[in-house]
Amino acid sequence: MDLEAYFLRTLRASGVTWGIGDDGVLLPRSKGVVVALDIFAQNVHFKSEWLGFERVGYKAMVVNISDMIAMNAKPTHALLGVSLPQRIDKKDIKDLVAGIARACTEFKIRIIGGDTIVGDSLHLSITMLGSARKPLSRKGARLGDYIAHTGTLGQSYKALQALLRGGKVSPKNKFITPRLSYARFIAQARKFLHAGLDISDGVLAECNRLSECNRLAFKLYKPYERAFKSGEEYEMLFCFAKRDYLALLRRARAHRVRLHLIGKVCRGRSRYRALVWHKS
């Protein structure tokens, strides 16, 4: 059973939710305020032997920043919740903070509050605050749209398999150090994009999500590509009108972003067999 999906269905059925479904939410009557929250948990998203504490801190921040950029929002502030393992030492804490600070400096974000406890393992819960003049939602796909993604996929899947076998992975691998190289491209291309999200659970899983909320099929030309199972890629997946392809391609080249056409929006629903990515 997909416990996460069941929990969200049950929560929605309770009648107390609003706006759940996107990477973040645009607050009503707020003049463009966007809020997003994500959790980065030991033994679910990473194992202690895979990442040093500095890289844990950096990646925890960046995966949340990716959610904001995916909505064409500029992150500005964050609330940080941390559960520290009982056996962590001062050096590890300094390294953890150094990674958090590196991400904040790179993306010009200030931490304005949060909560800290001591528990059994390391968990970081980050609420990101930002603003968007023209946010990009998961809804808005149109029949006949092209489907595309940025960057090259599959690197994170290969890295995860290597780590699970006890191997080593280069710190430059995006599974270790995500690179949000598409940020400026998305801002420049926003007027052409109908719907989109970042690839955190793999193209197959993201196509299923887009299909559900748009009530259309996100039909892939090559659905059995192994790279489409790869999660934690933190590239963008989006759809747009056929007539805007050349305009998007020019903007992608200007920002040195690779753009790949992978499918088309059709009638029906997508139900791809996606990999359960976050599993301890």
Side-chain angles (χ1 to χ4, degrees):
M1 177 189 292
D2 187 335
L3 295 178
E4 292 182 30
Y6 178 76
F7 173 80
L8 289 174
R9 287 197 302 270
T10 305
L11 184 62
R12 290 191 185 99
S14 72
V16 299
T17 66
W18 178 86
I20 290 180
D22 277 305
D23 292 295
V25 62
L26 178 67
L27 296 183
R29 299 183 297 277
S30 67
K31 296 183 179 180
V33 175
V34 176
V35 181
L37 181 148
D38 210 349
I39 297 172
F40 196 58
Q42 187 175 2
N43 297 324
V44 177
H45 302 92
F46 69 95
K47 294 185 182 295
S48 57
E49 61 269 25
W50 292 356
L51 303 174
F53 283 89
E54 196 274 346
R55 291 196 179 98
V56 167
Y58 180 82
K59 186 174 180 179
M61 292 296 297
V62 169
V63 299
N64 282 270
I65 293 167
S66 177
D67 284 340
M68 298 294 283
I69 293 173
M71 290 192 69
N72 192 36
K74 177 178 175 57
T76 56
H77 299 84
L79 296 168
L80 177 62
V82 181
S83 173
L84 298 169
Q86 293 179 354
R87 296 183 179 181
I88 193 170
D89 59 32
K90 291 182 179 180
K91 181 185 181 303
D92 293 337
I93 291 175
K94 289 180 179 179
D95 288 345
L96 181 67
V97 171
I100 293 170
R102 178 160 68 97
C104 287
T105 300
E106 182 178 340
F107 292 94
K108 299 179 181 178
I109 294 167
R110 289 285 187 178
I111 294 175
I112 57 174
D115 192 22
T116 306
I117 63 170
V118 176
D120 295 329
S121 55
L122 179 60
H123 301 309
L124 295 94
S125 175
I126 299 167
T127 300
M128 199 69 63
L129 308 171
S131 61
R133 292 184 179 180
K134 192 174 182 181
L136 178 64
S137 170
R138 295 182 182 185
K139 294 181 180 179
R142 303 173 190 176
L143 196 64
D145 275 358
Y146 277 168
I147 304 166
H149 70 77
T150 63
T152 301
L153 306 180
Q155 188 180 118
S156 288
Y157 182 84
K158 291 178 181 178
L160 177 61
Q161 295 304 309
L163 290 168
L164 289 172
R165 292 193 299 267
K168 294 183 179 181
V169 173
S170 168
K172 295 181 180 181
N173 187 289
K174 67 172 69 177
F175 183 79
I176 305 296
T177 307
R179 298 180 297 276
L180 309 184
S181 58
Y182 54 83
R184 291 183 180 179
F185 163 69
I186 293 299
Q188 290 290 318
R190 171 61 187 95
K191 64 181 178 180
F192 302 113
L193 308 183
H194 295 161
L197 74 175
D198 68 342
I199 304 172
S200 56
D201 291 322
V203 166
L204 299 181
E206 311 306 359
C207 281
N208 288 343
R209 291 190 176 102
L210 289 171
S211 174
E212 181 179 357
C213 65
N214 287 282
R215 298 180 181 276
L216 290 166
F218 278 65
K219 186 176 181 180
L220 299 171
Y221 299 140
K222 297 180 179 180
Y224 300 108
E225 288 277 351
R226 180 174 293 183
F228 288 168
K229 294 182 178 181
S230 184
E232 296 195 42
E233 290 289 337
Y234 301 108
E235 297 289 349
M236 277 294 296
L237 178 71
F238 50 83
C239 60
F240 56 93
K242 178 181 179 180
R243 65 178 179 273
D244 295 324
Y245 174 60
L246 291 179
L248 278 172
L249 192 59
R250 285 195 296 269
R251 285 162 174 78
R253 287 173 177 170
H255 292 283
R256 297 182 180 181
V257 171
R258 292 184 179 181
L259 196 63
H260 300 273
L261 285 180
I262 59 171
K264 194 173 182 180
V265 177
C266 307
R267 297 187 189 279
R269 293 291 181 90
S270 300
R271 296 181 177 85
Y272 297 113
R273 293 188 63 181
L275 182 70
V276 179
W277 188 253
H278 294 141
K279 187 174 180 181
S280 59

